[in-house]
Amino acid sequence: MNPKRSAVYPGTFDPITNGHQDLVRRAAGIFDRVVIGIAANPGKAPLFPMEQRVELARGVLEELPNVTVIGYAGLTVEFAREQGCGVVIRGLRALSDFEFEFQLANMSRHLAPEVDYVFMTPKEHFTFISSTLVREIALLGGDVSRFVHPTVAEALAKHRT
Ligand SMILES: Nc1ncnc2c1ncn2[C@@H]1O[C@H](COP(=O)(O)OP(=O)(O)OP(=O)(O)O)[C@@H](O)[C@H]1O
Ligand SMILES: [Mg+2]
């Protein structure tokens, strides 16, 4: 298979939000295969263990036949290589995402010149959604039902004391 027809969409997905979903749906319409790479990312001290982040994403995206969800540890470009993907997708919500993403893409190009980074923007009303804000709102008892899938909202509710 042509590696440029397969893309990895990497992230922590702690948890997956409607913004992530919007991007995945778009990407699934462009590429033959989209692999959601859920990074272990222990440095970020995720709220949900990796297995649960994978499980939640799988449940939310189950109706997309060309999308698979896989957990990984290590370098994203290595994961892309292992999966036979020649493209990495990243989301841009605002100018504030740009600087970090630009640096990351250029660094990755040094490590793996055969992998291209492609940037996508979500529908306008998803631009303000981040996993961090969703976690904070949920843990403080706020309503996150407009920002995440019901199964994700339920999982977040279980974390409240
Ligand atoms: N609402 C959104 N719209 C478009 N892209 C998004 C959105 N939220 C996250 N992304 C993108 O998805 C990728 C993975 O993001 P990540 O898992 O870090 O989510 P996040 O919402 O930024 O979480 P956190 O707040 O924990 O950093 C990144 O490229 C990020 O820019
Ligand atoms: Mg982020």
Side-chain angles (χ1 to χ4, degrees):
M1 214 205 295
N2 178 355
K4 294 298 171 194
R5 300 296 318 141
S6 296
V8 163
Y9 177 30
T12 316
F13 299 96
D14 183 36
I16 186 163
T17 68
N18 291 346
H20 293 130
Q21 275 187 72
D22 180 79
L23 240 66
V24 174
R25 274 172 226 288
R26 277 167 214 289
I30 297 172
F31 295 95
D32 293 340
R33 189 166 70 101
V34 177
V35 179
I36 314 302
I38 306 216
N41 234 337
K44 252 181 158 181
L47 177 67
F48 294 105
M50 189 171 79
E51 297 69 34
Q52 196 178 2
R53 284 180 273 139
V54 168
E55 202 179 294
L56 287 171
R58 278 192 186 140
V60 165
L61 302 168
E62 69 185 345
E63 89 282 6
L64 296 170
N66 59 339
V67 172
T68 47
V69 183
I70 302 175
Y72 74 102
L75 288 175
T76 298
V77 285
E78 280 306 323
F79 177 67
R81 271 182 186 146
E82 277 164 26
Q83 294 297 320
C85 295
V87 176
V88 171
I89 296 165
R90 296 289 289 175
L92 290 178
R93 284 163 289 198
L95 203 55
S96 50
D97 278 337
F98 179 82
E99 198 157 329
F100 175 68
E101 294 294 342
F102 187 67
Q103 195 182 5
L104 194 66
N106 283 321
M107 181 55 91
S108 297
R109 189 172 277 147
H110 279 280
L111 299 176
E114 80 282 12
V115 174
D116 282 301
Y117 271 59
V118 167
F119 298 95
M120 298 182 71
T121 54
K123 226 182 214 161
E124 241 173 280
H125 61 276
F126 295 125
T127 52
F128 60 92
I129 303 176
S130 73
S131 296
T132 299
L133 280 178
V134 164
R135 283 193 310 271
E136 278 179 19
I137 294 165
L139 296 180
L140 294 171
D143 177 15
V144 292
S145 60
R146 279 158 58 218
F147 314 131
V148 295
H149 189 276
T151 57
V152 175
E154 209 175 291
L156 282 162
K158 287 193 184 133
H159 267 283
R160 281 197 64 204
T161 44

